[in-house]
Amino acid sequence: MVIEPGNGFNTNNLSSVGTGKARQGGAVAPASNKPEATNTGAHSTSDSVSLSTAGQALAKLEAQAANIPEVDSAKVAEIRTALQNGSYNIDPDAIASKMIEQDNLL
């Protein structure tokens, strides 16, 4: 982040995050010179996660849904052929019924 002079911020007293040390001349003081602690003891802990039955079922359904194509290519080909040879029948009553059902849901 760049702070432009004259924008109302006092750039001489900015603190670096978490250290409480002032930043002067654009340099940031290091937070600490101590090496990070390592787990050298004989006892080590490990975290574990387990899903509930509902969570496992949901994960299984998501995996199955990922394998299903979004478009039924066979159905598209069937309709395309029917349109091309003129055998595709449009039922205006069925279309109107579905439109009314959708409108009633709103």
Side-chain angles (χ1 to χ4, degrees), residues 22-97:
R23 181 170 73 177
Q24 297 175 355
V28 177
S32 175
N33 289 334
K34 297 178 185 177
E36 292 186 23
T38 58
N39 186 5
T40 58
H43 299 289
S44 66
T45 60
S46 63
D47 294 331
S48 65
V49 175
S50 62
L51 295 177
S52 66
T53 306
Q56 291 172 358
L58 181 59
K60 184 177 179 182
L61 287 173
E62 286 178 341
Q64 290 174 348
N67 294 328
I68 298 172
E70 291 184 29
V71 176
D72 185 354
S73 300
K75 184 72 171 178
V76 170
E78 178 185 330
I79 293 172
R80 180 176 288 133
T81 303
L83 285 169
Q84 288 173 346
N85 67 22
S87 65
Y88 187 76
N89 294 323
I90 297 173
D91 184 0
D93 291 331
I95 294 171
S97 314

